[in-house]
Amino acid sequence: MNDKDQMPNTSSLLLDPIPNASLPLSDDRDDVLAQAEIAILASIFLLATLSNALVLVALFRQGRRASPMHRFIQHLCLADMTVALFQVLPQLIWDITDRFQGPDILCRGVTYLQVVGMFASSYVIVAMTYDRYRAICRPLLAFRRGTTSRPVLLAWIASFLLSLPQLFIFSKTELPSGAHECWAAFAEPWGARAYITWVTLMVFLLPTFFIATCQGMIFCEVYRSLRLGPEAALACRGSQQGASPITGAVAKTLKMTLVIVLTYVFCWAPFFLVQLWSVWDPQAPIEGPAFTLLMPVASLNSCTNPWVYATFSNSISRELRRIFCPRWGRRQVSSLYEDSVLTGSFSLGRDTLS
């Protein structure tokens, strides 16, 4: 059996298929493994769509009380919904049918939106972390120069632009057996390695390095403020930069940001490691259960984020309780400083998460 007669593995969520890999015919796939993957993807899809939809409804119910931090959460929910609808759902359908069902334009569009969701999930977190950095380390500069909408807009623009290669790499291709499949075409022998390495660098490695750098500077500033006290910290930093009041509420939103970042790294790291291994090691066990079942772990990030928001935001958790139990308590107007967070787009200490 030669490589031209072989079908691609459809377990990957990013670049699947890889045409130069030696993979078995789709008809010979492990049915038990395929059913396990279908069950995992179906569970992830339901959890991600329902939980993110509930958080979006809770944010909508905030009305004018919604804060800039709420807007970051809203865009993270939209990025996670993009992952669920255009990455998890198509992969689930693909696994069920064992063939890509649809015309060439659908093949290109779905694979394009799959990567858009990946970029957006990463870059919106980058935008949120940068906003925290400006607010804590450069509060007056942040106050003068911009709002939360600018970094979020740049995050989405970058996501759509950097995903464009997918439109040209994937296409609906007729295989020698007569079947049609959504297939990726790379320049041999370096194309797949170069592209997957580039995506890993742009989606995961560089954003993670940037986020880690910002978080390091934020926590250094928080430590210095707590150790020296607000007045001493102000004197050390200079009046031109201003001082950030490191309150319990500010610490709370920094913890939420850190949890979101760590969850993202924990979920996506196995995915990118598997992708890199599959193209750089000719002996990689691509069809093994470990490879197949590790791939959907990345999408778990879209399920966990809404519960992180609910855990750290009193207002979101309160609205969720009202959604499930409309008679729960009386509707109360939250204090401006409940769940407050510092942001570069508002005056110091006046941006709220409540």
Side-chain angles (χ1 to χ4, degrees):
M1 184 185 299
N2 57 49
D3 291 345
K4 291 183 179 180
D5 294 328
Q6 294 170 346
M7 287 296 298
N9 171 25
T10 56
S11 62
S12 171
L13 299 179
L14 172 56
L15 296 174
D16 187 29
I18 300 172
N20 63 347
S22 295
L23 301 173
L25 285 169
S26 181
D27 293 338
D28 297 334
R29 71 174 182 171
D30 187 332
D31 289 335
V32 174
L33 187 59
Q35 290 172 4
E37 185 182 8
I38 289 171
I40 293 173
L41 289 173
S43 300
I44 291 175
F45 173 72
L46 291 175
L47 287 173
T49 52
L50 291 177
S51 55
N52 282 284
L54 285 171
V55 172
L56 287 173
V57 171
L59 292 173
F60 177 78
R61 288 161 63 101
Q62 291 289 306
R64 294 185 178 181
R65 293 182 295 125
S67 69
M69 187 60 187
H70 281 143
R71 298 188 187 104
F72 278 114
I73 294 176
Q74 180 184 37
H75 283 277
L76 280 172
C77 284
L78 292 175
D80 288 335
M81 289 290 281
T82 302
V83 171
L85 294 174
F86 298 109
Q87 186 177 99
V88 179
L89 181 60
Q91 188 66 43
L92 174 61
I93 296 173
W94 197 343
D95 285 350
I96 292 173
T97 61
D98 198 23
R99 288 286 192 275
F100 183 85
Q101 304 295 324
D104 179 71
I105 189 172
L106 182 62
C107 166
R108 295 175 187 267
V110 166
T111 53
Y112 170 70
L113 291 173
Q114 282 182 332
V115 180
V116 168
M118 292 173 55
F119 272 105
S121 295
S122 176
Y123 287 4
V124 173
I125 294 176
V126 168
M128 182 175 65
T129 305
Y130 176 66
D131 188 78
R132 300 280 77 73
Y133 162 76
R134 291 196 309 164
I136 297 295
C137 301
R138 298 289 187 272
L140 293 184
L141 183 64
F143 175 70
R144 292 170 186 160
R145 288 196 176 180
T147 66
T148 57
S149 60
R150 187 176 302 171
V152 168
L153 178 62
L154 290 176
W156 280 103
I157 291 175
S159 300
F160 282 105
L161 290 179
L162 294 176
S163 301
L164 287 175
Q166 288 285 105
L167 294 174
F168 305 98
I169 290 174
F170 279 85
S171 63
K172 190 68 176 291
T173 304
E174 183 177 359
L175 304 177
S177 62
H180 289 78
E181 189 58 274
C182 190
W183 192 290
F186 295 103
E188 297 297 343
W190 52 269
R193 291 179 177 179
Y195 186 58
I196 292 181
T197 303
W198 176 80
V199 171
T200 303
L201 184 68
M202 298 302 295
V203 175
F204 186 71
L205 295 180
L206 288 181
T208 300
F209 176 78
F210 179 85
I211 291 169
T213 302
C214 288
Q215 289 285 5
M217 290 187 287
I218 288 171
F219 285 109
C220 285
E221 185 60 41
V222 170
Y223 174 77
R224 180 166 51 185
S225 177
L226 294 176
R227 182 170 60 89
L228 300 178
E231 294 182 0
L234 174 60
C236 291
R237 294 168 61 186
S239 59
Q240 75 277 7
Q241 290 186 354
S244 170
I246 308 301
T247 64
V250 172
K252 184 177 182 180
T253 192
L254 292 178
K255 289 178 182 177
M256 184 188 74
T257 304
L258 180 62
V259 171
I260 291 173
V261 170
L262 291 178
T263 303
Y264 174 82
V265 173
F266 176 79
C267 291
W268 283 96
F271 171 83
F272 286 109
L273 287 175
V274 167
Q275 290 284 346
L276 290 173
W277 188 10
S278 68
V279 293
W280 284 99
D281 182 7
Q283 305 302 320
I286 300 175
E287 282 296 299
F291 263 67
T292 301
L293 298 180
L294 268 178
M295 303 304 284
V297 171
S299 302
L300 284 175
N301 187 54
S302 299
C303 304
T304 56
N305 278 341
W307 305 109
V308 174
Y309 313 146
T311 300
F312 285 92
S313 173
N314 294 340
S315 59
I316 292 178
S317 60
R318 184 168 51 247
E319 291 296 342
L320 289 175
R321 285 193 293 267
R322 289 186 180 127
I323 291 172
F324 287 107
C325 185
R327 296 183 180 181
W328 181 84
R330 281 188 172 183
R331 186 176 182 86
Q332 300 176 354
V333 178
S334 303
S335 167
L336 274 178
Y337 295 95
E338 180 187 0
D339 263 357
S340 67
V341 296
L342 200 61
T343 183
S345 60
F346 270 48
S347 59
L348 301 181
R350 290 190 178 274
D351 181 20
T352 68
L353 190 60
S354 61

